[in-house]
Amino acid sequence: MKKILAIAIATACTFTACDIERLPNSSLAAESIVSDPDGSLEALLDGSYAQMKSWSDVMHRCGEYAGDNITIRGSSTDAFYEFISYSRTPNNYRLQGFWDNSYKAIAQTSNIIKMIDEGQNAEVDNKLGECYFMRGMMYFYLCRAYGRPYYQNPETNLGVPIVNGTPDDVLNMELPDRSTVKETYEQAISDLKKGAEMMTINNGSIYASREAAYALLSRVYLYMSGTWDNPNTEYARLSVEYADKVINSGKYNMLSREDFMKYNTMTPEQNKETIFAVKRVASEFSGYDHYYTFPGMYSTIGGMGWGEMYASEKYINLLDETGRNDWYKGKIVDARAAFIEPAFQADEKPVFRFIKDVKNDAGVQTGYVYVQADTKQNGNTVTCTEGEDPTVYTLTAIDAEQGIYSINYKDGKTYTGYLDQYIRLNRANPMFYIVKCAREGEESQLHSPIITRLAEMYLNKAEGAAKAGDYGTAREALNIVRERSLPGEGYASLDATNAETRIEKERTLELAYQAERSYDVYRNGRSLTRAYPGPHNAMEEVKPTDYRVVYYIPQNAINSYAGTLTQNPTSN
C-alpha cells in the first residue's frame, strides 16, 4: 500500500533516503485518506500543529533577542547569544532548527493540500484552509528572518526557496534557489488569502481561522507599507482593511485593564483578545524543560527557570514615561508594567538606583552600568554612598513624590534615578524579571506563544492609517490600546510631526516579548540602538542596511541542499 511521504525539510534538506520523513502520525495510507478525508485530516493536522511548538521557540528568540527590550546578565556560549550580540555565523544550531521546523511544516501542509480535494464539505475545506494558513505563515516568518526588509529592493533581494510539497522524484530532485523577497511575500499572501476563503469554522484561538489569516495579512501588508519617510499608501490601506476585518468580526474583545494585567496567566482558550497562539500544555512543558525554552530565560518562578534575561533599562524608562511604576509599593501606572517583576531583596535596603557611564583608560565611553547606592534620609534631605567610596552625595529632588532624584556624580555628570529598594544583582544587573511569557494557568514557566491578538490589529490600523495620511483614524485606533493601559492618557493629537514617535512607542510597549520588536525597527528603515547596561555593544548603532539585520542561511542546509541555495552576504 502506498504511503504518504513528506520531506523532512523540503529545502533545507539533509537529504538521504533515510532523511525523508513521513507526514505526522506516521503511516496513514493514501487509500484511507481518500476514503475518510475528514478523520485522516484531523490526525495529519495534529502533527502540523505539533510541529509549531518547537518552531515557536527559536522564532521568538530570533525576533526578541535582537531587539532592545531585553538585556542578559553576561555573554553566553549558547547559540542564541549571536542573536543578541549580532555576531552572525552560518553554523548556529538554533537557526538550523528554525529553518528545519519551518520547512517541515511547509512540507507537511503542502502534501495534505496535494492529497485532498477541496469542495467535499465545510469541515474538510476548513482543514485545508488551516494548511494554507500555516504554510503562508511559515513563508512570512522565514522571509522576515532571512530576507531583507521589504522596502529594500524586494524585486531583487532574496527571500527563501518556495517548495510546496514533496517533489515527485525525491531521489533525483533539483530544488530551486531562493525566490525574491517579493515572490516570497506573494506566496505568503496567496496562501493566507486562500486559507481565509476556505476557513468558515472558527474553532478558537489555538487553531487557524479566517480571522487569524486576516490578522496575519494585516501584518504582512504593514511590513510592505514602506517606511515612515517613504510610505507605500496602497499596502498601508490594505493593512488597515484586514485589521478592520478582524476588529469588526465581533469574535474578539480587548480585555479590561484589570484582566489585561493578568493576560499571561490565561490559557489562549480563555482569552478573548488572543486571535491565534501556539498551544503548550503543562504535561509537555514541565520539570527541567523550563530551563531550555525561552520563557525560562526571563525569570525564576518556584525555583524553575534560568532567570538570566531581564527587561532593559530602555524598556523600563518607556514604561515610566507617563509616571513612575513603583513595583515595590505595588503602584502600577502603565498596565504593561504588570509583566515586569523586579527581584527585590528580602530584607529592606533603601537605595538610589541610577545608571552611570563606563569609560576605558583613555576616557572613551564603552557602555553603562547600574549603581544601587545606599541611602539615608533626614527630613527632606536624602544622601547616598556608593560601595566603599567614602564620598557622600546629596541628592536633588526632581519629583520627590515619585522618588525621582538626581545626583551630581564624581565623573562630572548629573544622573537621574529612583529611590527604591535593593534589587538582587546578577553580574551587576538588577534582575527585572519578565513574566509576560510565564504563569499560564499558574504553571510557573508555561506559555503558549502568541502569534496575533486584537491589540496588534488596532496598532496595525493606527500605523497603516497614519502612513496613508488618515491621522484621525490612526489616533482613534492608537488610543484604544494606549488608554487601556493608561486610562485618561490618550493622545490629544496625532499628525505628521508626532505619528511615528507615538505609534512606535505604543507598539514597543504593547508587543514587547512577542518577537516583534527588532523586525519593527528595521522594516521602517530605522537603526537599533541599545544604550543601556548589558554585555552587548552599548555604543553600537545597527543600521537597517547592515548585513547583520538578517540571519545567515544555515550552512548545513546549504551543504546538503539538492540544488543551489544562495547564502546571505557576509559583509556590507
Side-chain angles (χ1 to χ4, degrees):
M1 188 178 290
K2 180 181 177 183
K3 304 295 182 182
I4 311 301
L5 300 180
I7 337 174
I9 170 102
T11 60
C13 296
T14 51
F15 268 136
T16 66
C18 296
D19 287 326
I20 297 171
E21 178 177 277
R22 294 185 186 278
L23 277 173
N25 294 288
S26 193
S27 56
L28 290 173
E31 290 88 341
S32 67
I33 291 173
V34 172
S35 63
D36 182 20
D38 193 20
S40 300
L41 264 174
E42 190 76 41
L44 294 172
L45 271 174
D46 284 347
S48 297
Y49 281 111
Q51 187 64 50
M52 294 173 62
K53 296 178 183 182
S54 297
W55 167 86
S56 64
D57 184 84
V58 186
M59 177 277 291
H60 177 95
R61 297 179 197 261
C62 288
E64 199 61 52
Y65 293 3
D68 54 10
N69 294 327
I70 61 102
T71 189
I72 190 171
R73 65 167 190 163
S75 59
S76 173
T77 57
D78 193 292
F80 70 62
Y81 190 67
E82 290 183 9
F83 308 162
I84 300 170
S85 66
Y86 280 77
S87 55
R88 305 289 188 240
T89 70
N91 296 306
N92 184 304
Y93 78 89
R94 290 192 181 273
L95 284 177
Q96 181 74 50
F98 178 59
W99 180 274
D100 289 355
N101 287 325
S102 298
Y103 273 107
K104 284 179 183 178
I106 288 171
Q108 290 168 352
T109 53
S110 294
N111 284 343
I112 294 172
I113 290 168
K114 285 183 176 181
M115 289 186 292
I116 305 297
D117 292 331
E118 62 182 83
Q120 300 182 52
N121 56 59
E123 289 76 16
V124 169
D125 278 1
N126 202 81
K127 291 179 173 62
L128 288 172
E130 292 176 67
C131 291
Y132 280 108
F133 168 84
M134 282 187 269
R135 189 172 76 180
M137 183 172 73
M138 291 300 117
Y139 277 124
F140 171 63
Y141 274 82
L142 280 166
C143 195
R144 75 175 189 172
Y146 296 107
R148 296 208 65 81
Y150 195 85
Y151 79 93
Q152 298 175 11
N153 304 314
E155 297 87 356
T156 55
N157 283 333
L158 296 180
V160 295
I162 296 174
V163 180
N164 293 332
T166 309
D168 293 334
D169 187 354
V170 172
L171 297 179
N172 300 300
M173 64 185 170
E174 180 74 15
L175 296 174
D177 198 356
R178 297 165 66 186
S179 297
T180 66
V181 166
K182 182 180 180 182
E183 290 166 339
T184 310
Y185 269 67
E186 288 172 344
Q187 175 69 48
I189 290 169
S190 174
D191 282 342
L192 291 170
K193 285 184 175 179
K194 179 69 172 178
E197 175 190 329
M198 299 189 72
M199 288 184 287
T200 58
I201 303 168
N202 190 317
N203 291 311
S205 58
I206 63 172
Y207 297 97
S209 65
R210 173 172 290 172
E211 290 72 30
Y214 288 157
L216 269 185
L217 282 164
S218 175
R219 190 192 299 169
V220 171
Y221 282 122
L222 195 70
Y223 273 60
M224 299 170 70
S225 67
T227 66
W228 287 102
D229 299 326
N230 186 27
N232 184 309
T233 56
E234 177 188 355
Y235 292 136
R237 289 190 184 100
L238 283 168
S239 179
V240 173
E241 177 184 325
Y242 279 99
D244 273 339
K245 286 178 182 287
V246 180
I247 293 167
N248 297 333
S249 71
K251 290 183 168 61
Y252 310 96
N253 297 303
M254 291 284 283
L255 298 179
S256 67
R257 173 184 163 92
E258 181 181 359
D259 286 343
F260 173 65
M261 292 167 71
K262 299 179 288 186
Y263 198 112
N264 57 309
T265 68
M266 302 177 188
T267 65
E269 300 94 321
Q270 296 173 318
N271 198 318
K272 297 298 184 181
E273 190 171 323
T274 299
I275 301 168
F276 182 63
V278 179
K279 177 67 174 176
R280 300 297 302 265
V281 295
S283 62
E284 67 190 14
F285 191 69
S286 58
Y288 284 95
D289 284 349
H290 291 317
Y291 288 88
Y292 297 106
T293 52
F294 72 84
M297 288 302 299
Y298 291 143
S299 62
T300 300
I301 299 174
M304 302 306 298
W306 294 107
E308 295 181 357
M309 231 173 249
Y310 317 116
S312 69
E313 184 256 353
K314 188 173 184 178
Y315 186 70
I316 292 168
N317 282 348
L318 207 58
L319 285 171
D320 286 341
E321 191 173 277
T322 306
R324 180 190 174 187
N325 295 280
D326 193 335
W327 286 281
Y328 191 77
K329 294 180 179 179
K331 180 185 176 184
I332 300 296
V333 176
D334 190 319
R336 293 162 292 207
F339 305 122
I340 309 299
E341 294 183 2
F344 290 108
Q345 186 166 290
D347 57 315
E348 290 195 358
K349 182 181 179 183
V351 296
F352 176 61
R353 185 168 51 255
F354 66 99
I355 291 172
K356 68 178 181 180
D357 298 345
V358 174
K359 297 181 179 180
N360 62 20
D361 293 340
V364 177
Q365 185 175 356
T366 58
Y368 304 85
V369 67
Y370 276 101
V371 176
Q372 296 193 103
D374 295 336
T375 62
K376 291 183 179 180
Q377 190 160 355
N378 184 5
N380 293 327
T381 302
V382 182
T383 60
C384 73
T385 56
E386 180 187 0
E388 297 180 358
D389 187 339
T391 305
V392 177
Y393 298 94
T394 299
L395 305 180
T396 301
I398 296 175
D399 186 336
E401 184 178 352
Q402 293 196 76
I404 305 173
Y405 286 75
S406 67
I407 182 172
N408 294 321
Y409 196 62
K410 62 186 177 183
D411 64 0
K413 296 195 69 172
T414 299
Y415 301 107
T416 298
Y418 294 131
L419 297 183
D420 203 357
Q421 294 296 313
Y422 185 86
I423 297 175
R424 290 185 286 116
L425 300 177
N426 196 333
R427 296 187 188 177
N429 295 295
M431 296 188 290
F432 286 92
Y433 282 158
I434 300 159
V435 297
K436 194 174 186 180
C437 304
R439 295 205 181 101
E440 183 178 315
E442 304 300 335
E443 288 282 348
S444 65
Q445 301 291 358
L446 181 61
H447 174 64
S448 295
I450 297 166
I451 303 300
T452 49
R453 60 186 178 94
L454 188 59
E456 185 200 344
M457 296 302 100
Y458 285 107
L459 292 168
N460 291 358
K461 182 175 181 177
E463 182 177 334
K467 284 180 173 177
D470 184 356
Y471 295 106
T473 296
R475 184 176 73 88
E476 182 181 354
L478 188 64
N479 279 343
I480 287 172
V481 177
R482 178 173 173 82
E483 292 198 29
R484 191 255 299 272
S485 289
L486 292 161
E489 295 292 338
Y491 295 113
S493 66
L494 197 76
D495 54 41
T497 67
N498 58 27
E500 177 183 1
T501 298
R502 291 179 173 180
I503 291 171
E504 288 303 311
K505 177 169 64 177
E506 296 308 318
R507 283 191 74 88
T508 302
L509 285 166
E510 188 72 22
L511 302 181
Y513 317 115
Q514 288 182 216
E516 299 298 320
R517 175 59 182 161
S518 63
Y519 300 118
D520 272 350
V521 172
Y522 299 130
R523 69 175 173 81
N524 268 316
R526 296 299 182 239
S527 297
L528 185 83
T529 58
R530 296 177 290 175
Y532 55 79
H536 59 274
N537 184 352
M539 313 312 294
E540 181 179 35
E541 174 189 1
V542 183
K543 296 181 178 181
T545 53
D546 194 299
Y547 76 97
R548 297 171 299 167
V549 164
V550 296
Y551 294 102
Y552 286 126
I553 305 296
Q555 191 59 46
N556 284 344
I558 292 175
N559 292 345
S560 56
Y561 193 70
T564 299
L565 185 55
T566 302
Q567 182 59 279
N568 278 323
T570 58
S571 65
N572 277 22

